[in-house]
Amino acid sequence: MNISVSAILYKITDICDWEIQNISPAASFDKIQLFDPDEDYDQGKGSLFFITDSMIQSYFEHFSDLLHSVNFLCYCTESYESFKSKYSGLKLVYLIPKNFEPLSLVFNRLVAIMHSFDMWDKSLHLSLLKNASLQAIVDDTAPILSHSMVILDANMSVCAYMHVPGEYDSYMERLLMLEYTTPEMVHEFRDANVVNFLFNEETLHISKYRDHNEDRYSMCYRIASANNATLAYIIVFCCKSHPKESYQYLMDTVVENLKLYFLKDTNKSKNYTEEYEYFLSSLIDQPDMSDKRIISHLAFIKELTHEGNFTLASIHFEQNQKASISFICWNLKNAFTNFKPFIYQGSIYVLKSSKKCTFDSFFNDEEKIKFEKSLSGAKYRLGVSNLFFRLNDISFAKDQCDFALNYSLDEVSDDNAYYYKDYALTDLTKILNSRMARFMTASPYYKLLKNYDDANDTNLCEIVSLYIRNNRNVIKTADMLYMHRNTIQNKLKKASQIMGSDLEKYDDSFFFYLNSIF
């Protein structure tokens, strides 16, 4: 990979002072090699050539044109002040060893710097291919970076960080301790000039701040997608000198590579265009997020509250829809003020909020027409959750939507909507259908009556179960079974004699009915 001159010099500053002449600090090269005037220099235009001041003096008379065409790193063995005036036309960087380091050590160090960049770039991209965690990918940057940094996702939560041994920054430590950023912390960081940006402005900001009675610099990046949606923020702490001419190139390189990670993750499962979309997706992934943290995140998002009357719906398309799901999301946002559509794992979910508790349907006839228009005529099925009242229950609501769609595969609904409440008992059966759960919830009354039914080919369990379900209404139970009410009463009396109980206690009737649906 190509490395800028400024990045190379930044990494060698501990053993050499330097001065640049006629080369841009941003100029980049892919190789460092020893200079040989007999080499075909046209093949080496991407290289920096290592040379000594004495070699330049020896070659200058016979190879002046060649020397003026090549970019040099010049190891200075003598005072270079007089040397500069004589060879001011050359493109070179003067390297002045601090402690009389020999030429071989300096050259080997330069080669090692280039090699570490190449190995870092390869290992990072290999980690991307292996779907490594973001923290693992950040750890890959350690060989080339030398300052601590924190990466925040678009939801302002810490998702990776890098500590450099010997560096301590109180602002960074507080951020890591809390694991997310509150609006109060943002204001405090701005007041202290640790960050000076409004989060959705320019990509890079460099700030000078003070910590532990010394001046430091921070670098703040915003990683964005092609449609300018925020994917992440990166804050670099503890820079002891202004990073623009040296460290910035290294960090720019890291940011560009980390952008690949966020874009890959976004294209795989999510598609964020607004802050609330990232937040809702994160909340599904982290159902145990604390109320305090949720409220802090919501402070960055308009028109979304922690508590309210919420319903979640999942849209499943019956065939390949003509419009993209991101376009459908955009349509729904513009058509409904109380809808918050978002994409999670390749599917569209719609969070609906309302002022009243509505248990009946997800939308009325007028809203259904508008809804289907937003889908550009695509055939769909809608899985609808139960009403819930706190956003941190959205993970369970998402499961309810998916269960409703799965359980209703063989059914047809007039409004294409399938409600979890209609399949809740079926789902409960699935949840409780383990040996331990069945034993712990077993009803002895149901067992006695079931044994009698099996031995006598009767259906007393079914009658008692339906009787409980109909709130002990004999007439309604008789109608559903197409029997006379006296017949039902006689069978209920018979069942009571067999069980030795009429199940008047709530617990007895509850567990009896629960066993009947296993």
Side-chain angles (χ1 to χ4, degrees):
M1 63 181 300
N2 287 334
I3 310 299
S4 76
V5 171
S6 62
I8 296 170
L9 298 178
Y10 186 85
K11 299 294 288 185
I12 204 171
T13 302
D14 58 332
I15 64 171
C16 287
D17 291 324
W18 48 265
E19 184 173 328
I20 299 178
Q21 173 181 293
N22 299 331
I23 298 178
S24 168
S28 59
F29 301 88
D30 61 6
K31 188 187 300 183
I32 292 177
Q33 60 188 92
L34 292 171
F35 177 70
D36 182 349
D38 295 325
E39 185 174 331
D40 184 0
Y41 66 92
D42 285 331
Q43 300 289 324
K45 289 187 176 179
S47 299
L48 271 171
F49 289 90
F50 190 76
I51 198 169
T52 66
D53 48 2
S54 59
M55 290 171 66
I56 289 179
Q57 294 179 57
S58 299
Y59 292 145
F60 193 76
E61 183 176 348
H62 300 289
F63 299 101
S64 177
D65 292 341
L66 174 58
L67 293 179
H68 279 86
S69 303
V70 179
N71 296 285
F72 290 108
L73 289 171
C74 180
Y75 178 88
C76 293
T77 56
E78 302 175 5
S79 173
Y80 71 100
E81 294 298 333
S82 59
F83 184 86
K84 283 196 301 182
S85 59
K86 185 175 182 181
Y87 303 105
S88 59
L90 299 183
K91 296 178 288 186
L92 54 78
V93 178
Y94 297 100
L95 298 178
I96 306 98
K98 291 182 176 180
N99 296 308
F100 305 103
E101 283 83 358
L103 179 147
S104 59
L105 186 150
V106 174
F107 177 71
N108 288 337
R109 178 64 179 277
L110 290 167
V111 172
I113 290 171
M114 299 295 289
H115 179 70
S116 68
F117 271 91
D118 186 53
M119 294 305 295
W120 166 78
D121 189 60
K122 291 176 180 176
S123 65
L124 187 142
H125 284 78
L126 184 62
S127 296
L128 279 172
L129 291 173
K130 291 180 177 179
N131 289 316
S133 68
L134 178 59
Q135 186 61 58
I137 290 176
V138 170
D139 291 341
D140 284 337
T141 67
I144 66 164
L145 296 183
S146 55
H147 294 305
S148 301
M149 68 177 179
V150 173
I151 301 179
L152 305 172
D153 61 23
N155 200 32
M156 304 300 288
S157 295
V158 175
C159 51
Y161 66 92
M162 187 176 74
H163 257 138
V164 173
E167 284 191 355
Y168 177 86
D169 188 278
S170 61
Y171 294 102
M172 178 176 172
E173 295 305 319
R174 287 175 52 208
L175 189 55
L176 293 179
M177 185 178 298
L178 191 59
E179 295 184 343
Y180 63 94
T181 309
T182 64
E184 294 77 17
M185 186 180 290
V186 171
H187 289 305
E188 182 182 345
F189 278 27
R190 283 175 180 162
D191 291 342
N193 210 38
V194 178
V195 297
N196 65 358
F197 61 96
L198 297 173
F199 285 115
N200 289 314
E201 287 190 349
E202 298 175 10
T203 303
L204 170 68
H205 295 267
I206 299 175
S207 301
K208 184 177 182 180
Y209 67 103
R210 195 164 183 81
D211 189 48
H212 290 84
N213 296 318
E214 65 179 1
D215 290 335
R216 296 176 178 178
Y217 293 90
S218 65
M219 303 176 70
C220 305
Y221 290 83
R222 181 175 76 96
I223 297 179
S225 63
N227 62 357
N228 204 36
T230 299
L231 300 175
Y233 303 98
I234 300 178
I235 306 178
V236 183
F237 294 88
C238 293
C239 297
K240 301 296 175 60
S241 60
H242 196 285
K244 185 174 179 61
E245 293 301 326
S246 52
Y247 194 72
Q248 182 180 342
Y249 177 86
L250 305 183
M251 199 60 224
D252 287 347
T253 304
V254 171
V255 169
E256 283 303 308
N257 279 276
L258 289 179
K259 186 174 182 179
L260 295 176
Y261 172 86
F262 286 100
L263 287 173
K264 181 180 181 182
D265 185 58
T266 299
N267 293 335
K268 179 178 65 177
S269 60
K270 309 177 181 88
N271 185 16
Y272 309 120
T273 57
E274 294 188 14
E275 291 86 349
Y276 81 81
E277 297 186 48
Y278 192 100
F279 172 72
L280 294 179
S281 296
S282 299
L283 204 50
I284 291 176
D285 290 332
Q286 305 173 57
D288 296 329
M289 191 181 295
S290 68
D291 289 350
K292 182 179 179 182
R293 185 168 180 174
I294 291 172
I295 293 169
S296 292
H297 290 326
L298 288 174
F300 297 102
I301 302 171
K302 297 178 181 179
E303 300 177 355
L304 194 60
T305 59
H306 183 208
E307 297 183 348
N309 303 312
F310 303 110
T311 312
L312 188 70
S314 173
I315 305 175
H316 172 75
F317 294 100
E318 298 281 288
Q319 56 191 25
N320 293 331
Q321 69 278 7
K322 295 179 181 179
S324 67
I325 58 176
S326 57
F327 180 74
I328 290 173
C329 264
W330 182 82
N331 278 346
L332 290 171
K333 289 173 198 171
N334 289 296
F336 297 90
T337 57
N338 60 337
F339 278 13
K340 292 286 186 289
F342 62 101
I343 299 169
Y344 181 80
Q345 294 184 344
S347 297
I348 299 178
Y349 290 85
V350 181
L351 179 70
K352 179 183 178 182
S353 58
S354 56
K355 295 180 179 178
K356 297 180 180 180
C357 294
T358 54
F359 294 92
D360 45 6
S361 62
F362 187 71
F363 39 46
N364 56 38
D365 292 341
E366 182 180 345
E367 289 174 329
K368 183 189 175 186
I369 294 172
K370 192 190 299 185
F371 181 85
E372 293 183 340
K373 186 176 180 181
S374 299
L375 302 189
S376 301
K379 293 183 178 181
Y380 70 97
R381 293 166 65 87
L382 203 66
V384 184
S385 75
N386 288 342
L387 190 70
F388 61 102
F389 307 98
R390 295 164 67 83
L391 278 181
N392 49 352
D393 289 331
I394 194 172
S395 178
F396 299 110
K398 181 259 181 191
D399 290 340
Q400 290 181 344
C401 294
D402 296 342
F403 287 146
L405 285 173
N406 184 53
Y407 292 141
S408 65
L409 287 176
D410 298 325
E411 299 182 19
V412 177
S413 168
D414 291 338
D415 60 359
N416 295 345
Y418 302 86
Y419 296 85
Y420 177 78
K421 62 185 178 183
D422 297 328
Y423 308 97
L425 289 177
T426 305
D427 193 34
L428 180 62
T429 303
K430 182 179 179 181
I431 294 171
L432 295 176
N433 200 22
S434 68
R435 187 172 182 274
M436 175 63 74
R438 291 171 70 91
F439 179 80
M440 299 300 288
T441 60
S443 165
Y445 300 111
Y446 182 84
K447 183 67 174 176
L448 286 170
L449 199 59
K450 187 70 170 72
N451 288 341
Y452 180 87
D453 279 346
D454 291 343
N456 297 278
D457 196 24
T458 57
N459 65 338
L460 296 180
C461 279
E462 178 187 359
I463 292 171
V464 174
S465 173
L466 197 57
Y467 175 64
I468 293 171
R469 183 177 177 181
N470 289 325
N471 296 315
R472 297 178 177 272
N473 187 313
V474 174
I475 296 176
K476 190 173 181 179
T477 304
D479 290 343
M480 292 182 70
L481 293 172
Y482 302 103
M483 293 182 181
H484 194 277
R485 64 180 179 179
N486 290 340
T487 303
I488 294 296
Q489 286 177 328
N490 290 334
K491 288 183 178 291
L492 291 173
K493 184 177 180 180
K494 178 67 175 178
S496 297
Q497 291 173 351
I498 296 169
M499 294 185 295
S501 171
D502 56 8
L503 305 182
E504 285 291 339
K505 290 184 179 180
Y506 171 79
D507 289 353
D508 292 341
S509 63
F510 173 78
F511 283 108
F512 183 97
Y513 182 73
L514 191 62
N515 278 240
S516 74
I517 63 175
F518 281 167

